[in-house]
Structure formats: C-alpha cells, structure tokens
C-alpha cells in the first residue's frame, strides 16, 4: 500500500467516474483500476462496486475511504508542518466559506500568497453544516461560518467582525438617495433572495418578521451568481453583506446601508481541534489574532 493508491481511491470518490479519476491523477484508466485492485487484494476486501461503470463503494470501501482521507490529510499535514518549521508554507489551503458572508477570502489569500508563493488555494462555497462536516473529516483546513451552536470541544474559532447588511442595486434602474434605508421601505421593492434554508436568508426574514413585515420576493434562488445577475439586470434589488465588496463588481452596482441590519449569528474562522492539525489553518488564525 502507498499514498498514491489512497489518492486514487479519493479521486474516484470525488469524481464518481473511473476515467475522470484517472485523468485527475494523470494516469491511464487501466493503471487506476489495477492499482485499486491491488489495494483490495492487500486488504482482502472488495472496495468498489464495478459494472460497466462506477457503481459506488461497498460498505467496507466506505470505511476504508474514511481512513484514506485521514491518512492522506496526515501526510499532507506532515509535509506542511515540515515546511512551516523551515519558515515556509506549502501545499493547498482548502477553505470553505458560507454564501454571502462579509468575509472577503481574497484578502486572506493575497496575504498568504505574498508570504508563501508556493502555497495554493482551493475555495468552496458551502453551507454551515457542510463546512463543519468537512472540517471534521479533514476535507477542509479552514472554514468561515456562523458560530452559533458551534461545538467548542471539536473546533477552535476566531470571531470576525459583525456582518452588517445593505441593499444591493443597480443605479441604472434604482435610486435611493444617501440615507440608510428602513426595513419598511424595503418591503415595497422588488426583492431577490436566497432560498429559505440558507442562514443569510434566515437573518433577513428575522429582521422583517420582528417588525411585523412579510416579504414577497420577486426571485428566490440558491445560487448567489444568479442573484447578482438579476440585480445587475435591473430585475430586483437584494439584501447583501454591506462590507462584502459586491458593489465593486461593476461600475453600476451600489450598496445602500439598512438601519439596524445584521445577521443573527457572528461569523468566524473555524478549524478542527483534534490531530492532525492543519499548519495552514493555524497560519490563517495568526493573521487575524
């Protein structure tokens, strides 16, 4: 057994396709299949359900896959730790961020890249639940998520600034003057919103409902880019993080502050507490402490 076989197994899980997994690992499909069969023979367990195409993992395969992720994370952590001891950071920082957070990951990545040019980045937009699950299983190094109900025994956290809200609009279609907007004024506008299961939407609903208001959104979507496209096209306006930099995407977008508008829970950096600890995540924490 070697590290490459474990990488092949994880690539197959992530692509769910033999050919795509082989391409990701820069080998041929027959080589991938042969190396996985060798792993099965060594462990004396069937790991993969095979038909004309990939049909998933066996029950033992799922358990071995979880160990493979842990071993590979420990291997990558060892490499990163050794580099950190030499004063460098190497590898890939795997960062998960909740949609529409006020945290701008670009500033973090620029600061780290300037100090450590060999460092690479993998950025994912995930729900709070997905971030915690992937931190726990070592598929992420660092998460940016809401801190409410965070298990402090499993995760370390660092609170970030409060997320304030503003109204994003295209000035070619709307104009609101200079004063902050009230929630009562927003109810009269064509609004675009994320779907109700997302934390940022829940904070918006709370601000409306606590004032006895019921919004009737013109558009609901679970994709942030579609919401931005609708705003840019003049279809609607949208409540967004005030300090998220979204108004800088084009010359036409503006963010107007909203009175007494903030999310229900604080946002924070999160990393796992148990070993293997991520040297990359620890470096990120050091930047914000």
């Amino acid at each position: 057994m070697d590290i490459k076989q474990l990488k092949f197994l994880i690539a197959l899980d992530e692509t769910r396709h033999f050919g795509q997994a082989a391409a990701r690992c820069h080998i041929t499909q027959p080589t991938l299949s042969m190396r996985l069969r060798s792993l099965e023979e060594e462990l004396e367990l069937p790991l993969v359900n095979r038909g004309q195409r990939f049909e998933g993992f066996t029950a033992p395969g799922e358990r071995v896959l979880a160990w493979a992720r842990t071993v590979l994370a420990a291997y990558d952590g060892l490499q990163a730790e050794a580099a950190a001891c030499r004063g460098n950071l190497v590898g890939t920082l795997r960062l998960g961020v909740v949609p529409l957070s006020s945290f701008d990951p670009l500033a973090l990545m620029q600061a780290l890249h300037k100090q450590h040019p060999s460092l690479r980045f993998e950025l994912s937009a995930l729900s709070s639940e997905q971030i915690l699950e992937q931190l726990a299983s070592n598929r992420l190094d660092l998460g940016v998520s809401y801190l409410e109900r965070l298990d402090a025994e499993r995760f370390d956290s660092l609170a970030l600034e409060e997320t304030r809200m503003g109204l994003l609009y295209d000035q070619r279609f709307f104009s609101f003057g200079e004063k902050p907007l009230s929630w009562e004024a927003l109810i009269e506008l064509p609004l675009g919103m994320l779907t109700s299961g997302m934390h940022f939407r829940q904070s918006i609903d709370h601000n409306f409902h606590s004032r006895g208001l019921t919004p009737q959104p013109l558009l609901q979507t679970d994709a942030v880019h579609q919401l931005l496209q609708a705003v840019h096209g003049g279809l609607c306006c949208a409540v967004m993080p005030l300090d998220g930099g979204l108004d800088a995407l084009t010359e036409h977008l503006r963010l107007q502050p909203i009175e007494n508008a903030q999310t229900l829970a604080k946002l924070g950096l999160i990393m796992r507490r148990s070993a293997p600890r991520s040297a990359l995540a620890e470096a990120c924490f050091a930047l914000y402490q």
Side-chain angles (χ1 to χ4, degrees), residues 13-42:
D13 177 49
E14 292 177 347
T15 62
R16 317 300 287 183
H17 189 280
F18 286 107
Q20 292 177 17
R24 175 181 290 192
C25 297
H26 307 291
I27 58 173
T28 64
Q29 184 172 330
T31 299
L32 178 86
S33 297
M34 179 188 69
R35 295 301 304 276
L36 291 180
R37 287 192 183 279
S38 296
L39 181 61
E40 289 176 317
E41 291 172 1
E42 181 173 349

Side-chain angles (χ1 to χ4, degrees), residues 109-181:
M109 293 186 291
Q110 286 175 328
L112 288 174
H113 181 64
K114 184 176 181 179
Q115 295 179 27
H116 309 284
S118 297
L119 192 61
R120 298 292 180 264
F121 304 94
E122 184 177 297
L123 182 62
S124 303
L126 302 167
S127 69
S128 299
E129 294 77 12
Q130 289 172 322
I131 287 174
L132 295 181
E133 189 274 326
Q134 293 192 27
L135 284 171
S137 60
N138 266 322
R139 285 180 283 170
L140 287 178
D141 299 298
L142 185 70
V144 178
S145 185
Y146 298 102
L147 299 180
E148 88 181 328
R149 298 191 297 273
L150 184 70
D151 187 348
E153 293 186 358
R154 300 177 63 200
F155 302 102
D156 283 332
S157 64
L158 182 62
L160 299 170
E161 292 183 2
E162 188 174 62
T163 301
R164 298 180 300 148
M165 296 177 177
L167 185 74
L168 185 71
Y169 64 94
D170 191 305
Q171 64 176 345
R172 295 172 298 177
F173 306 97
F174 299 93
S175 178
F176 299 106
E178 300 296 329
K179 293 183 179 180
L181 298 168

